[in-house]
């Protein structure tokens, strides 16, 4: 899928202290060409089950024949393209080397679908991240990593310290979390925590590093001049997310990560976002590679497949099946998510940050967070009510799953600036403006981009305790073993209203913000109990008959998918996490600029 889904996903909102969110109108939707599947020997598979339509499918035609057929179909339907590349599901990405308005791409897709030699066409939209960056030298601890404390106002934090203590002196299995984001920097606080990743940003014009797909997932920064058509973005988004998961303690450096109990490399950096956002095709390929799944045009197989994938990018649109065999971006996401599930891989995605022009949350998570089988995560104020910017969402027990967790909050002042109203999510960033520097610091971040990694971290801790957990098990445990939302009366806020967009701070319920508030302690203890029962109490949450990863099968393989499993591995030495839980309370989390990573 090397650029299978050229839809650009944008990181789910980074709010800026300078009021970028307050004064910025939503950028126009754009697409980087089309994803096209020609008819051929495998054309019949489109009507089969999701799992049997394999990402690794290849066409029996030669590359020259494919090029000629694509050119002929495009010419017949008055669609031009200059570049072509193979991607997942035996498809190709075609474009003219620059983004175009989404309306133009949709019109070209409609014409190309009419061609008798074309099986399906999907618009390769570009999407953006969902986070907000807030500078404030007053933050001297990572409150998001501390224990829940109602008296101190930490009502909606993820409650990591008691989960870490529950894992102390236990044999833990290795777990890999893939961070699909803007790339990574080799910060001192991440030494020994990163696995060899990959860069899937396929277009050199927008990659920022001068080339396309390559084995270097480094974030080059935003540069001094953005390509035409690009809107201002935030630098080092991937670094901040990776540090939330992998930053270490006890090394005389600042900061800690949710996966501090797990030794060695735990984060797999997969770069999918460039200067202007992320193409859907790049995201799809990044997902498959992270899970260890081969596909048409794939690079060398990932030798460290992930069990959890964190994606803080989202785009407009439903993930529902439109029926009548329609092939759209939602269809492509559904195929990919089914493939991930067949590998035992959970996708955790940000629910989105609402309307960039008003700073208020919208009804419904962004895509792919709104796809069945994905864990969508939205944001709360630490006091337990919905963060002003966070999207609302309704979930059900059959296909849709969602949670909420404290991820910072802001309000718009009379000047249109975003002002932080709670401690936010303090995590690592680089002090370079347009390119990396040798200086790092902890900085408060806000947005559902910061909420998703907390849930991904809890899922990884659950897998460390019990690697036999399936995707369905993880979704059930995370959703059912969550904390209840505070009542509207106790918060003094009006209840959030189901189905209504443009809502700021309001009191959440299971009808508006997911199953409950993320609780690492409850979820990890459930995983420990599940392991003690032999891992047999698996739960089916989707009601689908499609096969999926089950570690109880020989070799941990899927029953009806031919891709490799990515199950847990041998146990590691027991860890003493009591000191870690103490450090996370804030005594060891000093904040400030680092020279070479040190105070």
């Amino acid at each position: 899928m090397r650029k299978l889904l050229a839809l650009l996903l944008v990181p789910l909102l980074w709010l800026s202290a300078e009021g970028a969110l307050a004064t910025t109108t939503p950028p126009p939707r754009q697409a980087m060409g089309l994803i096209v599947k020609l008819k051929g020997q495998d054309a019949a598979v489109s009507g089969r089950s999701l799992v049997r339509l394999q990402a690794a499918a290849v066409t029996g035609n030669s590359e020259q024949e494919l090029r000629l057929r694509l050119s002929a179909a495009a010419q017949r339907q008055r669609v031009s393209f200059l570049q072509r590349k193979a991607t997942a599901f035996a498809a190709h990405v075609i474009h003219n080397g620059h983004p175009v308005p989404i309306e133009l791409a949709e019109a070209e897709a409609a014409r190309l679908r009419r061609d008798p030699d074309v099986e399906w066409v999907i618009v390769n939209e570009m999407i953006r991240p969902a986070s907000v960056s807030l500078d404030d030298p007053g933050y001297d601890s990572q409150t998001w990593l501390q224990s829940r404390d109602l008296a101190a106002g930490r009502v909606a934090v993820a409650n990591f310290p008691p989960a870490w203590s529950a894992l102390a002196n236990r044999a833990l299995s290795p777990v890999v979390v893939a961070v699909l984001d803007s790339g990574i920097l080799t910060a001192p606080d991440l030494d020994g925590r990163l696995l060899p990743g990959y860069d899937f940003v396929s277009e050199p014009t927008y990659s920022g590093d001068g080339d396309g797909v390559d084995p270097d997932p480094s974030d080059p920064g935003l540069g001094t001049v953005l390509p035409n058509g690009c809107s201002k973005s935030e630098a080092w988004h991937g670094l901040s997310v990776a540090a939330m998961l992998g930053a270490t303690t006890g090394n005389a450096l600042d900061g800690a990560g949710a996966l501090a109990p797990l030794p060695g490399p735990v984060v797999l950096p997969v770069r999918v976002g460039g200067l202007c956002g992320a193409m859907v095709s790049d995201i799809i390929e990044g997902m498959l590679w992270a899970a260890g799944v081969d596909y048409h045009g794939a690079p060398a197989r990932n030798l460290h497949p992930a069990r959890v994938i964190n994606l803080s990018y989202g785009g407009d649109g439903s993930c529902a099946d439109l029926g009548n065999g329609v092939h759209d971006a939602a269809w492509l996401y559904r195929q990919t998510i089914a493939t991930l599930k067949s590998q035992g891989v959970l996708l955790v995605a940000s629910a989105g940050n609402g309307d960039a022009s008003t700073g208020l949350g919208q009804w419904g998570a962004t895509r792919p967070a709104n796809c069945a089988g994905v864990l969508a995560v939205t944001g709360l104020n630490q006091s337990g009510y919905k963060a002003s910017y966070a999207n609302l969402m309704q979930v059900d027990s059959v296909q849709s799953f969602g949670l909420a967790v404290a991820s910072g909050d802001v309000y718009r002042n009379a000047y249109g600036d975003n002002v932080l109203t709670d401690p936010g999510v303090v995590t690592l960033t680089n002090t370079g403006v347009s390119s990396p520097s040798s200086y790092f610091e902890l900085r408060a971040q806000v947005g559902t981009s910061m909420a998703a990694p907390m849930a991904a971290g809890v899922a990884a801790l659950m897998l460390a305790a019990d690697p036999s957990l399936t995707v369905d098990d993880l979704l059930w445990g995370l959703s059912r073993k969550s904390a209840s939302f505070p009542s509207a009366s106790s918060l003094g806020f009006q209840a959030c209203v189901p189905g209504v967009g443009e809502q700021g701070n309001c009191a959440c319920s299971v009808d508006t913000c997911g199953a409950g508030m993320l609780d690492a302690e409850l979820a990890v203890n459930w995983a420990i109990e599940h392991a003690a029962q032999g891992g047999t109490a698996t739960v089916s949450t989707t009601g689908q008959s499609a096969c999926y990863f089950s570690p109880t099968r020989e070799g941990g393989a899927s029953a009806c998918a031919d891709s490799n499993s990515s199950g847990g591995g041998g146990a590691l030495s027991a860890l003493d996490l009591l000191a870690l839980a103490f450090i996370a309370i804030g005594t060891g989390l000093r904040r400030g600029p680092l020279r070479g990573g040190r105070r």
Side-chain angles (χ1 to χ4, degrees):
M1 309 182 91
R2 193 149 301 179
K3 279 10 177 183
L4 181 339
L5 316 181
L7 290 171
L8 291 185
L9 292 174
V10 180
L12 296 184
L13 256 257
W14 238 347
L15 300 175
S16 126
E18 292 71 34
L21 201 62
T23 59
T24 301
T25 58
R29 293 177 63 189
Q30 295 182 309
M32 196 71 175
L34 308 172
I35 304 165
V36 183
K37 171 68 172 61
L38 295 174
K39 292 181 178 178
Q41 297 175 349
D42 58 342
V45 301
S46 60
R48 300 178 186 173
S49 73
L50 297 184
V51 171
R52 289 191 174 89
L53 179 56
Q54 295 178 12
V58 296
T59 177
N61 303 118
S62 68
E63 286 299 306
Q64 181 179 6
E65 182 180 358
L66 287 172
R67 179 177 56 80
L68 293 174
R69 289 174 60 193
L70 274 171
S71 298
Q75 185 174 10
R76 286 192 294 267
Q77 305 304 328
R78 296 172 291 112
V79 173
S80 64
F81 70 91
L82 297 176
Q83 300 184 38
R84 171 187 66 89
K85 100 178 187 56
T87 189
F89 301 99
H92 287 79
V93 176
I94 60 173
H95 60 80
N96 280 319
H98 56 82
V100 298
I102 193 75
E103 296 79 9
L104 176 58
E106 288 173 342
E108 291 187 330
R111 294 199 301 271
L112 199 53
R113 290 187 187 108
R114 295 195 292 263
D115 195 87
D117 199 24
V118 172
E119 184 178 344
W120 49 260
V121 182
I122 295 172
V123 174
N124 193 23
E125 189 178 352
M126 302 177 74
I127 33 199
R128 302 183 61 78
S131 68
V132 181
S133 177
L134 292 159
D135 277 310
D136 190 330
Y139 300 115
D140 57 2
S141 65
Q142 295 172 293
T143 57
W144 65 276
L145 275 174
Q146 297 178 13
S147 297
R148 181 165 291 135
D149 186 335
L150 304 187
R154 295 194 298 272
V155 176
V157 296
N159 207 24
F160 279 105
W164 293 340
S165 296
L167 294 174
N169 299 316
R170 291 184 175 273
L172 303 178
S173 294
V175 182
V176 175
V177 180
V179 174
L180 269 66
D181 217 292
S182 65
I184 193 67
L185 296 180
T186 55
D189 216 17
L190 288 170
D191 285 351
R193 303 293 275 169
L194 302 176
L195 289 156
Y198 222 86
D199 178 4
F200 285 90
V201 181
S202 55
E203 296 306 317
T205 303
Y206 306 100
S207 67
D209 59 7
D211 57 22
V213 177
D214 62 58
D216 181 6
S218 299
D219 187 342
L222 297 178
T224 55
V225 180
L226 292 176
N228 290 335
C230 289
S231 58
K232 181 180 181 294
S233 186
E234 294 286 346
W236 325 126
H237 188 271
L239 169 65
S240 295
V241 172
M244 286 184 66
L245 291 162
T248 55
T249 59
N251 57 4
L253 300 177
D254 289 327
L259 302 182
L262 306 184
V266 290
V267 174
L268 179 71
V270 181
R271 186 174 184 239
V272 295
L275 301 181
C276 307
M279 293 189 293
V280 170
S281 56
D282 293 351
I283 289 173
I284 295 295
E285 293 188 15
M287 288 181 184
L288 293 174
W289 183 85
V293 178
D294 289 330
Y295 58 88
H296 188 45
R301 177 176 294 187
N302 170 25
L303 299 180
H304 307 281
R307 287 294 305 274
V308 182
I309 294 176
N310 184 88
L311 179 64
S312 291
Y313 285 64
D316 296 334
S318 167
C319 202
D321 187 350
L322 299 178
N324 301 320
V326 174
H327 294 72
D328 57 2
W331 177 86
L332 190 54
Y333 275 123
R334 294 196 302 272
Q335 312 305 311
T336 304
I337 292 164
T339 301
L340 296 180
K341 184 178 180 182
S342 75
Q343 295 295 97
V345 180
L346 172 66
L347 176 62
V348 181
S350 302
N353 289 0
D355 189 334
S357 62
T358 65
L360 301 178
Q362 296 288 323
W363 177 253
T366 52
R367 192 171 62 198
N370 59 15
C371 296
V374 176
L375 180 63
V377 192
T378 195
L380 303 173
N381 185 289
Q382 284 202 13
S383 296
Y385 50 85
K386 188 188 80 70
S388 59
Y389 56 81
N391 283 348
L392 300 108
M393 57 187 177
Q394 187 170 29
V395 300
D396 60 64
S397 60
V398 179
Q399 289 188 324
S400 181
F401 299 88
L403 288 171
V405 68
S407 59
D409 198 8
V410 295
Y411 80 93
R412 295 286 178 82
N413 64 19
Y415 302 99
D417 296 324
N418 293 303
V419 180
L420 193 67
T421 60
D422 78 359
V425 178
V426 178
T427 185
L428 193 68
T429 189
N430 190 262
T431 60
V433 176
S434 58
S435 60
S437 75
S438 60
Y439 296 89
F440 298 87
E441 67 178 4
L442 291 176
R443 182 180 300 169
Q445 316 279 5
V446 174
T448 59
S449 275
M450 306 294 110
M454 299 184 211
V458 175
L461 294 177
M462 295 168 70
L463 287 166
D466 183 2
S468 77
L469 295 172
T470 66
V471 170
D472 283 343
D473 293 331
L474 289 169
L475 290 170
W476 191 93
L478 286 161
S479 300
R480 297 296 181 89
K481 300 302 177 179
S482 58
S484 298
F485 294 113
S487 66
S489 59
S490 68
L491 291 170
F493 276 94
Q494 183 178 2
C496 303
V497 182
V500 177
E502 292 292 307
Q503 297 185 60
N505 296 132
C506 54
C508 286
S509 69
V510 294
D511 294 323
T512 53
C513 299
M517 299 188 298
L518 177 68
D519 193 308
E521 180 184 18
L522 294 178
V524 167
N525 279 325
W526 177 83
I528 292 172
E529 294 170 4
H530 187 274
Q533 296 169 1
T536 57
T538 55
V539 179
S540 176
T541 54
T542 64
Q544 297 176 353
S545 60
C547 60
Y548 55 90
F549 173 84
S550 176
T552 59
R553 298 192 182 102
E554 182 178 358
S558 166
C560 58
D562 65 357
S563 49
N564 287 348
S565 165
S566 57
L572 297 179
S573 303
L575 300 174
D576 183 359
L577 302 179
L578 298 180
L580 176 61
F582 173 74
I583 291 174
I585 300 302
T587 58
L589 302 182
R590 295 174 303 277
R591 178 183 183 288
L594 306 177
R595 291 184 179 273
R598 300 187 177 273
R599 288 193 306 119

